Amino acid sequence: MITHYCRIVNKRVQLDGVDVFSSGQKPLDDFLVDAYLALEIEYPKFYKMDNLSKAGFLAAEVLFRTRYGGQKVPDEKTSLILGNAHASLDTDKRYAAAARTVPSPALFVYTLPNIVAGEICIRHKMKGENAFFISEAFDAELLSTYVSLIPGDNLCLAGWIDVMNEHHDVFLYLHDKAGEGLPHNAMTLNELYNR
């Protein structure tokens, strides 16, 4: 079952279809920091992250706060299944530009798309199954199938985190085989993603 979902698009953060933060015409960098501050998250490492990691981190925080009532640590066996279209290209381009003068080790760390998964797992001490897929567009069928194949009754955080320049498209959801909510299938995922 899909117990909760978070959408970050058009400079808005939504939980289960309801705005929890929105920002006007600011650049993406500023929007992500403003959302972090408005949500009153305390995690200084956030400021060092690339935009892909910041976006995923924010969505995970919103979902885990809802699920666990403010506690920071889900079950350590929680799985994480993610995907996007641009991999880490946004950060790769920034790193390439910086490398023309003095390459930034801080940027280099984020030149892999699965680093966002690492940031979320470190923050929440998650040690379950994990995977990161690259596809041309949001693939509800892949997510639905892959998440359903994870053994056991563990919670799974899954979805789409795509960032490129000012483009940001985040859809994360919590899947709980023992929970109550919406049916976990491609049709439901597509419907939630396209709202």
Side-chain angles (χ1 to χ4, degrees):
M1 299 302 267
I2 299 168
T3 58
H4 297 285
Y5 68 97
C6 180
R7 196 81 170 91
I8 301 177
V9 67
N10 299 325
K11 309 240 173 83
R12 294 166 53 200
V13 179
Q14 296 180 322
L15 173 64
D16 298 333
V18 176
D19 283 1
V20 293
F21 177 77
S22 64
S23 177
Q25 301 300 317
K26 290 186 173 185
L28 181 59
D29 294 338
D30 295 338
F31 161 72
L32 294 170
V33 171
D34 288 352
Y36 169 84
L37 294 170
L39 295 169
E40 299 179 353
I41 300 167
E42 294 183 26
Y43 194 68
K45 189 177 178 191
F46 178 85
Y47 294 100
K48 296 179 181 180
M49 295 179 194
D50 70 333
N51 285 345
L52 181 68
S53 295
K54 286 177 180 176
F57 178 91
L58 288 171
E61 284 293 309
V62 168
L63 288 169
F64 286 140
R65 280 185 177 187
T66 301
R67 165 77 183 196
Y68 295 99
Q71 295 178 7
K72 294 182 181 175
V73 182
D75 182 333
E76 71 175 13
K77 295 178 184 175
T78 299
S79 300
L80 180 62
I81 310 301
L82 301 173
N84 78 9
H86 290 99
S88 60
L89 188 56
D90 183 62
T91 303
D92 296 346
K93 287 172 60 178
R94 292 176 192 222
Y95 180 74
R100 290 185 192 126
T101 55
V102 178
S104 168
L107 276 177
F108 178 74
V109 170
Y110 292 96
T111 57
L112 292 172
N114 64 340
I115 296 301
V116 61
E119 293 288 7
I120 293 169
C121 289
I122 289 167
R123 165 69 166 170
H124 297 286
K125 300 178 176 68
M126 295 165 52
K127 299 176 185 172
E129 302 284 333
N130 70 72
F132 196 105
F133 299 100
I134 309 297
S135 54
E136 289 183 22
F138 176 72
D139 190 341
E141 190 65 43
L142 173 70
L143 280 173
S144 174
T145 302
Y146 200 90
V147 169
S148 296
L149 293 174
I150 294 173
D153 293 328
N154 299 332
L155 185 69
C156 181
L157 174 64
W160 183 258
I161 306 169
D162 197 38
V163 172
M164 185 65 192
N165 300 322
E166 287 299 305
H167 162 79
H168 56 288
D169 183 10
V170 178
F171 169 70
L172 289 187
Y173 66 94
L174 290 173
H175 172 262
D176 188 344
K177 291 179 184 176
E180 294 182 14
L182 301 169
H184 184 253
N185 56 48
M187 187 172 86
T188 304
L189 291 175
N190 274 322
E191 179 185 322
L192 295 175
Y193 175 78
N194 289 309
R195 280 190 181 168

